[in-house]
Amino acid sequence: RRYKKNNFLQMVGRNLKTGDIEKVVKNGEAYLRLTSAGRNRVRRDFPISNLTKRWNKKWIVLVFDISERAKAVRDKLRNKLESIGFGMLQESVWITPLPIGKDVLEFIESIGLSDNVFVMEVSSLPVGDPKLLARRIWRLDKLEENYFKIKNETEMINQLLERYRGREDQREAKTSSSKYSKEKTSSHTYRLQTKKRILKKKLLELFLSLPPLPRELLPKSFRDGFIFRVR
């Protein structure tokens, strides 16, 4: 819904011409699907790390030298690096623990920046504890703070819901309970359940915002996925 129809149709047309997608008809219905060339392009432009694998203890370091006159190109490159899991060590030095050096090189060549960008793989960085480095570069402290905030709010809501359920059970055992009192309790329960749904959404958004890092570099609360779930 957030895309205009004309923009969508133009994008489809361009990708049909480049051969990245193809149109197929099945049971009288038209479908669009990726071609093998399209899949390769997606893998190159959006490399995805298998986080179940152990980290090889190596870093991909990317250094670029793009003049101020090409600021738009420089900003586009930075946005791209951030979107695929890189973090900024210094203004023109970006790093990632993901084994995507080859993919990044192919991407740099495809956008014509081979003379301005240098990519290397190193076994270690002289910056101290890798976990502390990851916390600083990818702002993991803030993410963890938000995580515990959602966790604590949800636990408090669950306690209140249990309390209201206990009161409702007691009222059901007493025929003298007023209708007004039952409606009041139900409205409280409804508001709390609404808050829980909002917290579920926030937890999902937080999970999706986590940087693609090996488990070893994530805070303990994030390792092996979230231990806590909004129930």
Side-chain angles (χ1 to χ4, degrees):
R1 293 181 180 178
R2 57 194 182 123
Y3 295 103
K4 293 182 180 179
K5 185 176 181 180
N6 288 340
N7 293 346
F8 174 75
L9 293 176
Q10 289 175 7
M11 180 197 68
V12 170
R14 284 196 303 270
N15 284 279
L16 284 170
K17 288 180 180 179
T18 59
D20 291 329
I21 62 175
E22 62 183 349
K23 180 180 177 181
V24 296
V25 178
K26 186 177 181 180
N27 299 326
E29 295 286 340
Y31 297 88
L32 295 172
R33 70 182 179 190
L34 279 172
T35 62
S36 58
R39 291 191 188 94
N40 290 334
R41 182 183 293 273
V42 170
R43 292 191 186 103
R44 185 196 67 197
D45 291 352
F46 305 97
I48 300 174
S49 172
N50 183 356
L51 299 184
T52 61
K53 294 182 179 179
R54 292 185 62 82
W55 183 33
N56 61 9
K57 307 299 181 183
K58 294 182 179 180
W59 296 88
I60 302 299
V61 181
L62 184 145
V63 182
F64 61 84
D65 182 16
I66 302 174
S67 67
E68 185 65 27
R69 288 177 296 179
K71 185 176 184 298
V73 175
R74 189 176 59 195
D75 290 344
K76 185 177 180 180
L77 176 61
R78 285 173 175 167
N79 291 336
K80 180 64 178 181
L81 292 175
E82 190 171 4
S83 72
I84 60 177
F86 273 82
M88 187 173 70
L89 182 62
Q90 294 181 1
E91 190 170 352
S92 298
V93 181
W94 290 66
I95 64 172
T96 179
L98 305 182
I100 58 175
K102 184 178 179 181
D103 298 307
V104 173
L105 276 173
E106 291 179 359
F107 170 71
I108 296 303
E109 291 173 0
S110 73
I111 59 177
L113 287 178
S114 298
D115 295 335
N116 306 90
V117 182
F118 307 92
V119 181
M120 63 196 87
E121 184 179 77
V122 299
S123 298
S124 63
L125 293 172
V127 288
D129 188 341
K131 292 181 181 178
L132 295 179
L133 177 67
R135 276 187 174 272
R136 176 171 63 84
I137 290 181
W138 284 278
R139 306 178 189 89
L140 297 179
D141 284 342
K142 184 64 177 177
L143 291 172
E144 193 172 34
E145 180 184 335
N146 292 338
Y147 167 70
F148 283 117
K149 183 178 179 181
I150 294 172
K151 181 178 184 294
N152 292 336
E153 288 181 6
T154 302
E155 289 176 347
M156 183 178 66
I157 288 175
N158 285 336
Q159 290 174 6
L160 289 172
L161 285 172
E162 286 297 324
R163 190 180 305 170
Y164 284 130
R165 290 192 190 102
R167 290 178 182 176
E168 288 175 351
D169 291 341
Q170 290 178 1
R171 289 195 185 99
E172 287 179 2
K174 296 180 181 180
T175 57
S176 59
S177 298
S178 67
K179 180 180 179 182
Y180 169 78
S181 180
K182 291 180 179 179
E183 289 177 350
K184 186 177 180 181
T185 301
S186 297
S187 66
H188 284 316
T189 301
Y190 176 78
R191 284 198 295 271
L192 290 172
Q193 289 173 342
T194 300
K195 288 183 179 179
K196 278 188 66 173
R197 286 194 292 270
I198 294 173
L199 289 173
K200 278 188 176 183
K201 181 181 177 183
K202 286 183 177 180
L203 185 67
L204 177 60
E205 290 172 349
L206 178 60
F207 179 77
L208 294 176
S209 70
L210 283 177
L213 296 173
R215 291 186 200 174
E216 297 100 305
L217 296 181
L218 289 172
K220 186 177 180 180
S221 55
F222 292 154
R223 291 174 199 165
D224 303 317
F226 287 110
I227 298 174
F228 163 75
R229 293 290 186 273
V230 177
R231 293 186 176 88

